[in-house]
Amino acid sequence: HVQLVESGGGSVQAGGSLRLSCPTSAFVESRYCLSWFRQAPGKERESVANIHSNGTIVYRDSVKGRFGISRDNAMSTLFLQMDNLKPEDTAMYYCAAVGSSGWPPCTVSTIPWDEYNFRGQGTQVTVS
């Protein structure tokens, strides 16, 4: 897989905000599924937010209303705005990308981590 590099993680108090970034200029597919995953200690990696090139956005229920995924196409950068952070959001966060015609659907439960061919090494988010 091709490596992506996330940034923007850090330590914040509960209720705080962070904005994660992931440059995706190396990813040139016109139809794509982009995702933010996270993995907490002792837990499986899970997708928390997905965005498809057709504009469809899907969030995991636990982050709905608090997280916002977006892509700045001019900058070729994927973002994850995280507001009202909770201690249970503490995890390593990863970005991922894969070409997608729309099937399987670009949702938080349909495309496993290993099927994204562009994947990041993670940025730590700690909420206390």
Side-chain angles (χ1 to χ4, degrees):
H1 68 275
V2 178
Q3 199 73 48
L4 300 174
V5 181
E6 305 90 341
S7 64
S11 296
V12 297
Q13 293 188 334
S17 297
L18 286 172
R19 190 189 196 203
L20 307 184
S21 299
C22 175
T24 60
S25 58
F27 184 77
V28 296
E29 297 279 352
S30 60
R31 295 189 295 174
Y32 54 79
C33 177
L34 307 179
S35 182
W36 284 99
F37 282 77
R38 69 183 180 188
Q39 186 169 22
K43 295 188 177 181
E44 291 188 359
R45 191 170 352 225
E46 62 180 11
S47 177
V48 297
N50 280 40
I51 182 169
H52 192 268
S53 51
N54 64 13
T56 301
I57 291 175
V58 179
Y59 296 102
R60 182 167 293 275
D61 286 348
S62 58
V63 307
K64 281 182 181 177
R66 301 187 298 118
F67 288 15
I69 186 172
S70 62
R71 189 189 190 202
D72 184 321
N73 288 325
M75 297 171 57
S76 296
T77 302
L78 178 67
F79 298 101
L80 185 68
Q81 177 67 40
M82 304 186 295
D83 298 320
N84 190 22
L85 282 160
K86 303 177 180 181
E88 52 263 42
D89 295 318
T90 295
M92 188 73 79
Y93 283 72
Y94 305 84
C95 60
V98 66
S100 171
S101 63
W103 189 264
C106 180
T107 72
V108 296
S109 59
T110 53
I111 304 178
W113 170 255
D114 289 348
E115 293 188 13
Y116 287 85
N117 56 343
F118 285 66
R119 306 199 293 260
Q121 289 188 312
T123 184
Q124 179 67 38
V125 171
T126 303
V127 186
S128 59

